[in-house]
Amino acid sequence: MSNESVRVVLVNTTHPGNIGAVARAMKNMGQSELVLVAPRSFPDEQAVWRSVGAADILENATVVETLAEAVADCHFIVGTSARGRRIPWPTLDPRACARQVLERRNSGQQVALVFGREDRGLTNEELQICNLHLHIPSHEDYTSLNLAMAVQVVCYELRMLALEGSLSSDAQSEWDAPFATAENVERYLEHLEQTLIEIGFLDPVAPRQLMTRLRRLYGRMNLDEMELNILRGILTETQKSLHKSSTAK
Ligand code: SAH
């Protein structure tokens, strides 16, 4: 695995031809790991036809049911979007994003780039699983690119930066604990939500944007497993002392 290799995740792709074109774009740029979340039709001969010399990427592609499954073991998730969202999220263009991605890869992190549906892109919920958003600065008269073209642009910037070789390969490799995976961060956020309800800080009837804001906060932090364990420990003790005081009454 070279240091710029990432997982490309396509969510609910409608046209198999686009999947083939994505495989070609990936292989042209030296990428190989493709994960498809509930594609409408796959395998499909239209995909093979459009992939031309990249049919091997399709053969090795993994199909899963949910985005959470596709990124469970990832440490850094980039969601791509053609438009702005209600709650602003850290957002970069492909060049700036490539820099962050390579830095993460150099410290041994698994990175996923997530691309949405042809007609509706990614849902807010899916975008909120992501640590960072990537927007290709397209013209405001027509902001959305074809799916495979978007993959091409993003993978091209990664390749250009890798070829430049300006990032030293051990930029951040010294760290004393493994970085937290998306799956463990999700589990922590569920535990946090439950605890916030128990202590009366979060009203499940009117949750507002509290969990979204907390999700964005933790997503910016690049947590490691040790830090996540500390946070989980604090929640567990909070719950214990809450139950103790409620049974003491
Ligand atoms: N109408 C949809 C556009 C979907 S285009 C929307 O508003 O989101 C299909 C996918 O291509 C998007 O989900 C995204 O992954 C990618 N894409 C298209 N244009 C993009 C852009 N300008 N910046 C980043 N990703 C883009």
Side-chain angles (χ1 to χ4, degrees), residues 141-163:
D141 285 350
Y142 191 16
T143 59
S144 100
L145 280 76
N146 164 268
L147 173 60
M149 307 238 178
V151 171
Q152 184 80 75
V153 169
V154 176
C155 293
Y156 169 76
E157 289 295 344
L158 264 176
R159 179 156 174 82
M160 285 302 284
L161 191 60
L163 287 175

Side-chain angles (χ1 to χ4, degrees), residues 80-83 85 114-122 134-138 143-147 150:
T80 56
S81 175
R83 59 199 158 105
R85 303 286 156 158
V114 185
F115 295 85
R117 302 156 185 83
E118 291 95 331
D119 57 344
R120 300 180 285 121
L122 295 167
L134 180 156
H135 174 69
I136 299 166
S138 42
T143 59
S144 100
L145 280 76
N146 164 268
L147 173 60

Side-chain angles (χ1 to χ4, degrees), residues 11-169:
V11 178
N12 283 170
T13 311
T14 310
H15 302 292
N18 277 335
I19 299 178
V22 165
R24 180 176 187 172
M26 287 173 62
K27 192 162 179 181
N28 286 148
M29 296 299 117
Q31 297 293 340
S32 61
E33 192 185 351
L34 178 61
V35 176
L36 306 170
V37 178
R40 187 149 92 183
S41 174
F42 188 83
D44 189 293
E45 62 186 34
Q46 279 189 58
V48 176
W49 187 71
R50 282 287 296 279
S51 73
V52 194
D56 55 320
I57 306 250
L58 298 176
E59 274 156 34
N60 294 322
T62 314
V63 178
V64 296
E65 277 309 305
T66 63
L67 176 58
E69 272 176 81
V71 300
D73 60 336
C74 291
H75 307 96
F76 188 60
I77 305 164
V78 178
T80 56
S81 175
R83 59 199 158 105
R85 303 286 156 158
R86 196 152 55 104
I87 290 214
W89 218 257
T91 303
L92 294 178
D93 66 39
R95 196 159 298 173
C97 186
R99 187 158 285 277
Q100 285 226 8
V101 168
L102 280 198
E103 279 171 8
R104 304 285 178 145
R105 291 292 297 131
N106 284 341
S107 63
Q109 299 187 41
Q110 172 74 258
V111 176
L113 304 175
V114 185
F115 295 85
R117 302 156 185 83
E118 291 95 331
D119 57 344
R120 300 180 285 121
L122 295 167
T123 63
N124 282 334
E125 202 180 38
E126 287 160 349
L127 281 165
Q128 287 169 10
I129 289 181
C130 303
N131 301 87
L132 179 77
H133 291 171
L134 180 156
H135 174 69
I136 299 166
S138 42
H139 195 278
E140 60 273 15
D141 285 350
Y142 191 16
T143 59
S144 100
L145 280 76
N146 164 268
L147 173 60
M149 307 238 178
V151 171
Q152 184 80 75
V153 169
V154 176
C155 293
Y156 169 76
E157 289 295 344
L158 264 176
R159 179 156 174 82
M160 285 302 284
L161 191 60
L163 287 175
E164 219 180 83
S166 62
L167 293 175
S168 85
S169 64

Side-chain angles (χ1 to χ4, degrees), residues 235-246:
L235 295 182
T236 304
E237 291 307 317
T238 305
Q239 288 175 311
K240 266 196 215 157
S241 80
L242 192 66
H243 298 156
K244 243 186 261 161
S245 62
S246 65

